């Protein structure tokens, strides 16, 4: 990937920290890790996010069929358990899963960006950095930072400071 990898994020964070020290400005940063991110996204949230992203109904229907009637069993010394319905998570190993997960995260990232509470660096605002299931929030003030953490209460429960 040419951009938005760990190296670019580390560079942006180092630059923001160095700038804050040099200019004696506040820089509030939090590294957040989504708890069991890939396994915990409810399927209905996935489908809603796909609609929000503009995917047509036919494509969403194909993905719905991919996630329909998913079950598993647990093998123990007493034999197999009854089937357990799987209502959340993306499919491990499926080439669509990273794309589906990213599209599901998109509304959260956009909500943060709309707040406009980021850290100003070289006339650009750095609000949120996202990589896989990790988010980093940056703000110039504790108030802006708190607004980022509270922007969507449905997601706040999923966030675990790492």
């Amino acid at each position: 990937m040419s951009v938005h990898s760990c190296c670019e994020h580390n560079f942006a964070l180092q630059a923001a920290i160095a700038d804050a020290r040099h200019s004696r400005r506040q820089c509030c940063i939090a590294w957040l890790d989504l708890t069991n991110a890939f396994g915990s996204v409810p399927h209905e949230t996935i489908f809603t996010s796909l609609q929000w992203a503009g995917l047509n109904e036919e494509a969403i229907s194909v993905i719905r069929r991919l996630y329909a009637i998913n079950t598993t069993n647990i093998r123990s010394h007493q034999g197999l358990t009854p089937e357990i319905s799987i209502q959340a998570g993306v499919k491990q190993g499926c080439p669509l899963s990273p794309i589906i997960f990213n599209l599901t995260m998109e509304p959260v990232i956009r909500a943060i960006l709309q707040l406009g509470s980021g850290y100003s660096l070289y006339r650009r605002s750095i609000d949120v950095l996202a990589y896989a299931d990790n988010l980093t929030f940056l703000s110039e003030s504790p108030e802006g930072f708190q607004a980022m953490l509270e922007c969507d209460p449905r997601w706040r429960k999923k966030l675990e400071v790492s």
Side-chain angles (χ1 to χ4, degrees):
M1 294 172 48
S2 59
V3 294
H4 302 298
S5 71
C6 287
C7 292
E8 283 83 5
H9 289 181
N10 287 341
F11 179 79
L13 287 169
Q14 286 176 334
I17 292 168
D19 179 72
R21 284 184 179 154
H22 178 73
S23 61
R24 298 185 183 268
R25 292 172 34 210
Q26 281 190 327
C27 182
C28 303
I29 301 173
W31 287 267
L32 305 170
D33 188 0
L34 293 170
T35 306
N36 185 25
F38 300 104
S40 65
V41 180
H43 292 166
E44 284 307 314
T45 301
I46 290 171
F47 307 137
T48 301
S49 296
L50 295 176
Q51 287 175 322
W52 180 86
L55 203 61
N56 67 43
E57 285 303 318
E58 187 177 345
I60 294 172
S61 177
V62 169
I63 294 170
R64 278 187 186 277
R65 287 194 303 272
L66 181 66
Y67 282 87
I69 314 171
N70 286 307
T71 61
T72 189
N73 299 84
I74 299 173
R75 185 184 313 259
S76 71
H77 66 280
Q78 297 171 341
L80 289 176
T81 64
E83 288 186 344
I84 301 167
S85 178
I86 300 172
Q87 301 294 317
V90 294
K91 291 181 172 279
Q92 185 176 352
C94 177
L96 276 178
S97 290
I99 296 166
I100 290 171
F101 182 78
N102 287 344
L103 289 172
T104 303
M105 291 298 300
E106 187 73 15
V108 175
I109 294 167
R110 287 189 186 255
I112 296 294
L113 292 173
Q114 288 178 351
L115 292 172
S117 300
Y119 184 83
S120 180
L121 181 65
Y122 307 119
R123 295 186 303 255
R124 296 195 70 192
S125 181
I126 303 174
D127 301 77
V128 61
L129 301 171
Y131 190 76
D133 64 344
N134 299 295
L135 299 174
T136 305
F137 294 166
L138 292 91
S139 181
E140 291 183 0
S141 71
E143 297 80 19
F145 183 73
Q146 189 65 39
M148 289 177 168
L149 291 174
E150 294 174 352
C151 82
D152 189 343
R154 293 171 297 163
W155 283 89
R156 200 172 56 205
K157 290 179 185 173
K158 295 274 184 210
L159 296 174
E160 176 180 288
V161 178
S162 57

